[in-house]
């Protein structure tokens, strides 16, 4: 499984964030937005996502999916109340998502869990992170506690 914390601690990704002026606090929002966008776009076509992140040369369909991910990512960043101004968002265009997808591609190709099962595993690691800590499991636990509390009338 792929962990958002791995992306946040990746030297390449951290370097890009610093270079374009994303603060450490904002970096969590950028990573979470990227993960959320990929989850949304890749879930609908796992085979295409697997092809995009493979070591093979990208097809026209792969390139279209990459463009959709990039556009979705930038739109979400612009729409969110994350404190990231439009100037920084425009600097992220064309550098942040390719770097993040490259890290993920390397991770997938370096494991025995490639192909569509690798994408499925990676997507399962992208649990939306409501408090911006880059992990997301606490959010799952909060939800589970809430459901169990409702079940038992608490």
């Amino acid at each position: 499984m792929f962990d958002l914390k791995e992306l946040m601690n990746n030297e390449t990704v951290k370097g890009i964030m610093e270079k374009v002026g994303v603060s450490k606090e904002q970096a969590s929002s950028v990573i979470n937005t990227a993960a959320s966008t990929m989850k949304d776009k890749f879930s609908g076509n796992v085979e295409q996502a697997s092809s995009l992140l493979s070591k093979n040369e990208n097809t026209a369909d792969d390139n279209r999916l990459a463009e959709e991910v990039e556009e979705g990512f930038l739109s979400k960043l612009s729409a969110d109340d994350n404190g990231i101004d439009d100037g920084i968002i425009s600097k992220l265009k064309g550098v942040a998502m390719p770097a993040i997808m490259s890290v993920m591609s390397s991770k997938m190709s370096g494991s025995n869990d490639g192909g569509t099962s690798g994408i499925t595993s990676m997507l399962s690691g992208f649990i939306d992170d409501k408090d911006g800590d880059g992990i997301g499991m606490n959010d799952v636990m909060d939800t589970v506690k809430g459901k169990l509390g409702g079940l038992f009338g608490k």
Side-chain angles (χ1 to χ4, degrees):
M1 181 166 12
F2 196 84
D3 187 322
L4 290 180
K5 204 168 192 174
E6 288 181 59
L7 279 175
M8 294 180 71
N9 292 325
N10 179 276
E11 292 301 318
T12 302
V13 173
K14 284 181 3 184
I16 288 171
M17 298 295 170
E18 289 173 11
K19 186 175 181 176
V20 300
V22 174
S23 70
K24 288 180 182 179
E25 295 79 25
Q26 293 168 330
S28 176
S29 180
V30 170
I31 296 296
N32 285 313
T33 301
S36 172
T37 303
M38 286 185 287
K39 185 176 182 178
D40 293 346
K41 300 295 183 183
F42 289 176
S43 294
N45 193 344
V46 175
E47 288 183 23
Q48 193 66 54
S50 177
S51 176
L52 173 64
L53 295 178
S54 75
K55 288 187 172 186
N56 300 327
E57 188 171 328
N58 285 347
T59 66
D61 288 338
D62 295 341
N63 292 333
R64 260 190 298 283
L65 179 59
E67 288 172 16
E68 287 177 24
V69 171
E70 176 84 19
E71 289 170 11
F73 167 68
L74 295 171
S75 291
K76 281 184 179 186
L77 272 181
S78 294
D80 288 348
D81 184 20
N82 52 26
I84 303 173
D85 66 46
D86 291 340
I88 291 176
I89 292 172
S90 70
K91 290 179 186 177
L92 288 169
K93 183 178 182 176
V95 292
M97 282 307 300
I100 291 168
M101 287 194 283
S102 176
V103 169
M104 293 169 46
S105 177
S106 296
K107 174 82 173 171
M108 281 182 50
S109 66
S111 75
N112 293 331
D113 198 21
T116 57
S117 65
I119 292 291
T120 303
S121 174
M122 179 194 67
L123 292 175
S124 70
F126 287 168
I127 299 169
D128 293 335
D129 180 35
K130 295 179 180 142
D131 60 5
D133 64 4
I135 299 167
M137 288 310 296
N138 57 339
D139 301 321
V140 171
M141 294 308 296
D142 288 345
T143 301
V144 170
K145 283 191 262 183
K147 297 284 185 195
L148 288 174
L151 183 65
F152 295 107
K154 292 185 178 182

